[in-house]
DNA sequence: GCATGATATGAGTAATTACTCATATTGCCT
DNA sequence: AGGCAATATGAGTAATTACTCATATCATGC
């Protein structure tokens, strides 16, 4: 069963249809979870016919894969924006705090969606994507780490670039999903975890 | 819609049926993901009739809730065992390493299941459970932290007890799901994250 | 304006799914 | 032994689901 798109949109309206479908899928999962995620509901919410959906996605899993890719791209863009929004002379802790805040924001807005993606990533055969994520969002992080070599203890930049986003996600999950959410604690704990990780000497 | 068990097993065979159902549910999710999780499949795999399943669980969500509770209990037991398996005079880093290893092991064996539970926890209304988890597995961690106050910088034990397992999970996810899995790096990174977190001063 | 490919439609279908209920079997108590 | 509650059964059903296909509408180049 193929997981790649069936057909790439060539005209403007086709692109609009394609986007509306992905947007609808994201909305449904984010609001009602994986259980409510079915192709008929997606088509209806997108305002297109079920037939149109299957013009662009050969099956439900392919739609999920496209959604995962889109979400990873969004996350990478968010990080990039947060990293560059501060001037070039911001200090290390300020930047870390800004990145953490951006990542947390992004994740809190898409709580169910993020966990759904985690689950589906594990289920679907998608090695290539992990790599591409590292190339996208991870590159921002890796560059920062090299720029601030003096503030941190020896870490391989690529290794850290994979571990760090996971840290932030984890802390966000642990604290932001309580009722009521403890957002201040979440941010403080995430920053603490990130700085602690970066300043910790090798444990080998 | 009620999420609590419909009827508690009183006889031995009833308990066996109940357990078989939960076990089957766990197996199906762990092997094929949330999409494959349906009550008919669970009953068949458990070797009981679909009617029996609905004797103990009023609906599918209630079954999921029971499964989540069971898994949390398992995780807590694993941690407790790892913490007490070492002698009372083991040093801090050794204990941390042991706990990390136990948590990672537990999680790696139940990859899809763990992410499914994350997702369903976020979807279902379950505040009480989070508290009970903290009481179970978190207590072990909190006690350890107090015992090693001198090795760590000021952290509220309860706060840390919630953050730490999340850290380990995140790092495990980030590294153990690659192909091939990088288990050595995963463990080293998890230990590094935990120790870094605990030794990092307040960031407020 | 016409031809042709791109795009959109949605009724329809076979399969799956959550769940019920009437009936059957089992174990326990006296 | 016999009676009663606990437990187990599984055919059945209404609803949902992934997906197809024949047909219709659009857009663009000539």
């Amino acid at each position: 069963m193929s997981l790649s798109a069936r057909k790439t949109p060539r005209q403007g309206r086709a692109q609009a249809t394609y986007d509306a479908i992905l947007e609808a899928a994201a909305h449904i999962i984010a609001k009602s979870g994986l259980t409510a995620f079915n192709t008929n509901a997606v088509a209806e919410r997108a305002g297109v016919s079920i037939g149109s959906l299957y013009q662009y996605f050969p099956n439900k899993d392919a739609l999920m894969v496209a959604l995962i890719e889109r979400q990873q791209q969004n996350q990478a863009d968010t990080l990039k924006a947060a990293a560059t929004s501060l001037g070039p002379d911001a200090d290390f802790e300020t930047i870390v705090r800004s990145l953490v805040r951006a990542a947390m924001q992004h994740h809190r807005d898409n709580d169910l969606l993020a966990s759904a993606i985690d689950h589906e990533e594990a289920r679907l055969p998608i090695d290539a994507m992990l790599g591409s994520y590292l190339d996208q969002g991870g590159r921002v992080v890796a560059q920062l780490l090299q720029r601030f070599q003096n503030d941190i203890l020896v870490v391989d930049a690529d290794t850290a670039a994979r571990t760090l986003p996971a840290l932030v996600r984890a802390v966000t999950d642990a604290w932001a999903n309580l009722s009521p959410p403890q957002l201040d604690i979440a941010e403080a704990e995430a920053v603490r975890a990130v700085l602690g990780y970066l300043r910790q000497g090798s444990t080998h």
Side-chain angles (χ1 to χ4, degrees), chain A:
Chain A
M1 179 179 36
S2 169
L3 294 185
S4 49
R6 170 170 280 169
K7 156 195 296 189
T8 28
R10 301 175 187 281
Q11 302 178 0
R13 56 184 177 141
Q15 185 64 50
T17 301
Y18 187 91
D19 292 344
I21 291 169
L22 281 187
E23 180 58 39
H27 179 269
I28 286 174
I29 296 180
K31 237 191 163 180
S32 313
L34 266 183
T35 337
F37 172 52
N38 68 73
T39 54
N40 293 312
V42 168
E44 187 183 14
R45 158 110 204 154
V48 306
S49 70
I50 181 65
S52 289
L53 190 155
Y54 280 95
Q55 292 249 346
Y56 300 103
F57 306 97
N59 50 58
K60 195 186 173 189
D61 278 351
L63 171 55
M64 188 73 218
V65 168
L67 182 59
I68 292 175
E69 279 164 353
R70 191 187 93 135
Q71 199 63 7
Q72 283 177 344
Q73 187 63 50
N74 284 353
Q75 166 84 10
D77 293 346
T78 303
L79 282 185
K80 224 170 287 184
T84 53
S85 73
L86 302 170
D89 47 357
D91 73 339
F92 186 53
E93 247 189 80
T94 305
I95 293 188
V96 164
R97 199 172 290 275
S98 165
L99 281 180
V100 164
R101 202 187 310 252
M104 282 187 51
Q105 173 81 34
H106 187 268
H107 182 253
R108 259 193 307 119
D109 289 345
N110 304 281
D111 181 18
L112 271 178
L113 180 55
S115 57
I117 283 179
D118 260 18
H119 180 68
E120 294 289 85
E121 262 180 0
R123 184 179 64 87
L124 299 165
I126 343 180
D127 324 80
M129 278 173 33
L130 294 173
S132 87
Y133 167 65
L134 199 51
D135 281 341
Q136 294 284 341
R139 198 171 299 284
V140 184
V141 177
Q143 280 174 354
L144 276 176
L145 292 179
Q146 277 163 346
R147 193 169 126 214
F148 289 100
Q149 277 175 357
N150 297 336
D151 293 274
I152 64 186
L153 290 178
V154 286
V155 202
D156 172 51
D158 288 339
T159 305
R162 181 177 285 280
T163 298
L164 283 172
L167 284 190
V168 177
R169 255 221 63 187
V171 177
T172 309
D173 271 346
W175 288 100
N177 293 343
L178 299 180
S179 47
Q182 311 278 320
L183 301 182
D184 292 344
I185 297 185
E187 186 178 323
E189 287 285 285
V191 170
R192 181 191 176 95
V194 168
L195 291 179
Y197 168 81
L198 289 174
R199 289 171 176 161
Q200 173 70 26
S202 171
T203 63
H204 303 280

